[in-house]
mmCIF file of all heavy atoms in Angstrom:
data_model
loop_
_atom_site.group_PDB
_atom_site.id
_atom_site.type_symbol
_atom_site.label_atom_id
_atom_site.label_comp_id
_atom_site.label_asym_id
_atom_site.label_seq_id
_atom_site.Cartn_x
_atom_site.Cartn_y
_atom_site.Cartn_z
ATOM 1 N N ALA Q 149 45.285 -24.051 38.922
ATOM 2 C CA ALA Q 149 44.457 -23.919 37.721
ATOM 3 C C ALA Q 149 43.185 -24.729 37.855
ATOM 4 O O ALA Q 149 43.139 -25.729 38.574
ATOM 5 C CB ALA Q 149 45.223 -24.376 36.478
ATOM 6 N N HIS Q 151 40.160 -26.454 35.256
ATOM 7 C CA HIS Q 151 39.791 -26.801 33.883
ATOM 8 C C HIS Q 151 38.323 -27.211 33.839
ATOM 9 O O HIS Q 151 37.837 -27.887 34.755
ATOM 10 C CB HIS Q 151 40.606 -28.002 33.380
ATOM 11 C CG HIS Q 151 42.072 -27.744 33.255
ATOM 12 N ND1 HIS Q 151 42.852 -28.404 32.334
ATOM 13 C CD2 HIS Q 151 42.911 -26.913 33.910
ATOM 14 C CE1 HIS Q 151 44.110 -27.992 32.440
ATOM 15 N NE2 HIS Q 151 44.173 -27.098 33.394
ATOM 16 N N TYR Q 153 35.709 -29.321 31.192
ATOM 17 C CA TYR Q 153 35.648 -30.187 30.015
ATOM 18 C C TYR Q 153 34.195 -30.533 29.740
ATOM 19 O O TYR Q 153 33.388 -30.667 30.663
ATOM 20 C CB TYR Q 153 36.416 -31.499 30.251
ATOM 21 C CG TYR Q 153 37.914 -31.333 30.409
ATOM 22 C CD1 TYR Q 153 38.466 -31.042 31.657
ATOM 23 C CD2 TYR Q 153 38.777 -31.465 29.331
ATOM 24 C CE1 TYR Q 153 39.840 -30.886 31.813
ATOM 25 C CE2 TYR Q 153 40.149 -31.309 29.482
ATOM 26 C CZ TYR Q 153 40.671 -31.022 30.725
ATOM 27 O OH TYR Q 153 42.022 -30.869 30.870
ATOM 28 N N ALA Q 158 29.785 -41.140 23.861
ATOM 29 C CA ALA Q 158 30.512 -41.821 22.775
ATOM 30 C C ALA Q 158 31.621 -40.964 22.165
ATOM 31 O O ALA Q 158 32.144 -41.300 21.103
ATOM 32 C CB ALA Q 158 29.570 -42.294 21.685
ATOM 33 N N SER Q 160 35.206 -38.219 23.178
ATOM 34 C CA SER Q 160 36.205 -37.971 24.206
ATOM 35 C C SER Q 160 35.926 -36.646 24.892
ATOM 36 O O SER Q 160 35.360 -35.727 24.280
ATOM 37 C CB SER Q 160 37.605 -37.956 23.581
ATOM 38 O OG SER Q 160 37.674 -37.015 22.541
ATOM 39 N N ASN Q 215 48.359 -33.906 41.600
ATOM 40 C CA ASN Q 215 47.951 -34.156 40.222
ATOM 41 C C ASN Q 215 46.593 -33.503 39.989
ATOM 42 O O ASN Q 215 45.968 -33.001 40.916
ATOM 43 C CB ASN Q 215 47.839 -35.657 39.979
ATOM 44 C CG ASN Q 215 49.177 -36.351 40.118
ATOM 45 O OD1 ASN Q 215 50.174 -35.915 39.546
ATOM 46 N ND2 ASN Q 215 49.213 -37.433 40.875
ATOM 47 N N PHE Q 216 46.142 -33.540 38.751
ATOM 48 C CA PHE Q 216 44.788 -33.089 38.459
ATOM 49 C C PHE Q 216 43.792 -33.931 39.254
ATOM 50 O O PHE Q 216 43.938 -35.151 39.364
ATOM 51 C CB PHE Q 216 44.465 -33.274 36.977
ATOM 52 C CG PHE Q 216 44.937 -32.135 36.136
ATOM 53 C CD1 PHE Q 216 46.152 -32.206 35.480
ATOM 54 C CD2 PHE Q 216 44.172 -31.000 35.993
ATOM 55 C CE1 PHE Q 216 46.607 -31.166 34.705
ATOM 56 C CE2 PHE Q 216 44.608 -29.943 35.210
ATOM 57 C CZ PHE Q 216 45.827 -30.030 34.566
ATOM 58 N N GLY Q 219 36.216 -33.577 39.367
ATOM 59 C CA GLY Q 219 34.937 -33.742 40.032
ATOM 60 C C GLY Q 219 34.141 -34.838 39.348
ATOM 61 O O GLY Q 219 34.508 -35.318 38.277
ATOM 62 N N ARG Z 54 37.517 -49.677 21.650
ATOM 63 C CA ARG Z 54 36.408 -48.982 22.307
ATOM 64 C C ARG Z 54 35.743 -49.877 23.352
ATOM 65 O O ARG Z 54 35.310 -49.407 24.393
ATOM 66 C CB ARG Z 54 35.361 -48.558 21.274
ATOM 67 C CG ARG Z 54 35.818 -47.456 20.339
ATOM 68 C CD ARG Z 54 36.111 -46.150 21.077
ATOM 69 N NE ARG Z 54 34.939 -45.620 21.751
ATOM 70 C CZ ARG Z 54 34.101 -44.740 21.202
ATOM 71 N NH1 ARG Z 54 34.275 -44.331 19.972
ATOM 72 N NH2 ARG Z 54 33.082 -44.270 21.903
ATOM 73 N N GLY Z 87 34.506 -39.074 39.968
ATOM 74 C CA GLY Z 87 35.262 -38.355 38.949
ATOM 75 C C GLY Z 87 36.290 -39.272 38.318
ATOM 76 O O GLY Z 87 36.507 -40.394 38.777
ATOM 77 N N ARG Z 139 49.249 -34.364 27.388
ATOM 78 C CA ARG Z 139 49.324 -32.927 27.625
ATOM 79 C C ARG Z 139 50.742 -32.464 27.361
ATOM 80 O O ARG Z 139 51.704 -33.176 27.679
ATOM 81 C CB ARG Z 139 48.950 -32.646 29.078
ATOM 82 C CG ARG Z 139 48.824 -31.180 29.449
ATOM 83 C CD ARG Z 139 48.581 -31.017 30.929
ATOM 84 N NE ARG Z 139 49.766 -31.312 31.702
ATOM 85 C CZ ARG Z 139 49.739 -31.618 32.991
ATOM 86 N NH1 ARG Z 139 48.605 -31.714 33.626
ATOM 87 N NH2 ARG Z 139 50.863 -31.850 33.637
ATOM 88 N N GLY Z 145 50.045 -27.021 34.752
ATOM 89 C CA GLY Z 145 48.641 -26.996 35.117
ATOM 90 C C GLY Z 145 47.766 -26.159 34.224
ATOM 91 O O GLY Z 145 46.544 -26.330 34.243
ATOM 92 N N GLN Z 147 47.899 -26.175 30.915
ATOM 93 C CA GLN Z 147 47.728 -26.821 29.622
ATOM 94 C C GLN Z 147 46.592 -27.828 29.727
ATOM 95 O O GLN Z 147 46.587 -28.666 30.637
ATOM 96 C CB GLN Z 147 49.017 -27.559 29.214
ATOM 97 C CG GLN Z 147 50.169 -26.644 28.880
ATOM 98 C CD GLN Z 147 49.904 -25.849 27.633
ATOM 99 O OE1 GLN Z 147 49.346 -26.364 26.667
ATOM 100 N NE2 GLN Z 147 50.272 -24.581 27.645
ATOM 101 N N GLN Z 149 44.271 -31.129 29.057
ATOM 102 C CA GLN Z 149 44.538 -32.509 28.678
ATOM 103 C C GLN Z 149 43.707 -32.840 27.436
ATOM 104 O O GLN Z 149 42.608 -32.344 27.250
ATOM 105 C CB GLN Z 149 44.180 -33.451 29.825
ATOM 106 C CG GLN Z 149 45.057 -33.210 31.045
ATOM 107 C CD GLN Z 149 44.875 -34.274 32.106
ATOM 108 O OE1 GLN Z 149 44.841 -35.461 31.824
ATOM 109 N NE2 GLN Z 149 44.776 -33.842 33.343
ATOM 110 N N GLY Z 152 41.538 -39.549 24.756
ATOM 111 C CA GLY Z 152 41.051 -40.517 23.788
ATOM 112 C C GLY Z 152 39.561 -40.765 23.994
ATOM 113 O O GLY Z 152 38.939 -40.193 24.896
#
Side-chain angles (χ1 to χ4, degrees):
Chain Q
H151 295 209
Y153 294 86
S160 56
N215 296 311
F216 275 96
Chain Z
R54 291 297 299 268
R139 187 185 72 200
Q147 291 293 320
Q149 296 189 45

